[in-house]
Amino acid sequence: MNTKVLRSLSYGLYVISSLDGDRPTGCIANSVMQITSSPATVALSMNHDNYTNSCIAKSGRFAVSILSEKSDPSLIGHFGFQSGRDVDKFASVKSAVKEGLSVIEDSCGYIVCKVVDKMESSTHTVFLGEIVDAGTIGEDPAMTYAYYHKVIKGKSPKNAPTYLPEEDNVEIPDKKWTCGVCGYVYDGDAPFAELPDTYTCPICRQPKEKFIEK
């Protein structure tokens, strides 16, 4: 069975936010879809291991910030490759509060939902959320998951529904370096050793010491 065909399905890239008590928290997701138009309802797939999953279950609310092609790629690393159990992810990110939930300003739009139902699978919870607020922020096109892979050259976090194990074994051309945290491949013309010591991964903001020669 070739599961790569699932990449042919359409995905976006979103920051999902909820509340950990009074503190905002969130993570990256790529599986959000509209289910009905009246009442307007969306489905969100969230891995059981994501801290945001338990926060949504407890609060009964979540928000979706729709990343655009112009959104800072570091948002993906910031929200996708560290846990809200350990980090206050919204402390250093510009956000606005909509219906009590934080949404990312560097996005093209947002949706705020109250949970009306959920379904459990072996690894993920699918939350059904009735939309209580929504709005556009900018006019830049929404970032698709294909754009994330092909243009930004990021890989899927292991908790993502679209993660494939072979992503950890992707072939990297000669004289290329890959980020040991998020998998970003540096493909500049200059050898890595000639990069400034201040070089950081554009996805997860890790320093150049985290890059591994392949």
Side-chain angles (χ1 to χ4, degrees), residues 17-18 32 40-44 56 59-64 98-99 101 110-116 127-134:
S17 54
S18 190
V32 178
T41 305
V42 299
L44 161 68
I56 294 173
S59 69
R61 294 184 291 161
F62 65 88
V64 180
K98 304 293 183 179
E99 295 293 324
L101 296 181
Y110 68 90
I111 302 168
V112 182
C113 299
K114 65 176 183 180
V115 176
V116 294
F127 293 100
L128 291 184
E130 184 177 322
I131 298 174
V132 297
D133 190 19

Side-chain angles (χ1 to χ4, degrees), residues 106-168:
D106 187 7
S107 65
C108 60
Y110 68 90
I111 302 168
V112 182
C113 299
K114 65 176 183 180
V115 176
V116 294
D117 205 349
K118 67 177 182 176
M119 180 185 72
E120 300 290 346
S121 73
S122 59
T123 59
H124 286 68
T125 303
V126 177
F127 293 100
L128 291 184
E130 184 177 322
I131 298 174
V132 297
D133 190 19
T136 58
I137 296 175
E139 297 181 356
D140 294 320
M143 184 187 301
T144 65
Y145 212 54
Y147 183 94
Y148 169 62
H149 280 286
K150 294 177 182 178
V151 179
I152 297 180
K153 299 181 181 178
K155 72 175 184 179
S156 309
K158 289 188 176 181
N159 287 345
T162 52
Y163 169 76
L164 297 175
E166 56 263 34
E167 288 189 68
D168 291 332

Side-chain angles (χ1 to χ4, degrees), residues 3 5 7 15 55 73 90 98 103 107 117 130 144 156 160 171 174-176 179 182 188 190 213:
T3 56
V5 70
R7 291 276 174 81
V15 173
C55 293
F90 280 91
K98 304 293 183 179
V103 297
S107 65
D117 205 349
E130 184 177 322
T144 65
S156 309
E171 292 185 6
D174 292 341
K175 297 182 180 179
K176 301 296 182 182
C179 178
C182 73
E213 186 177 14

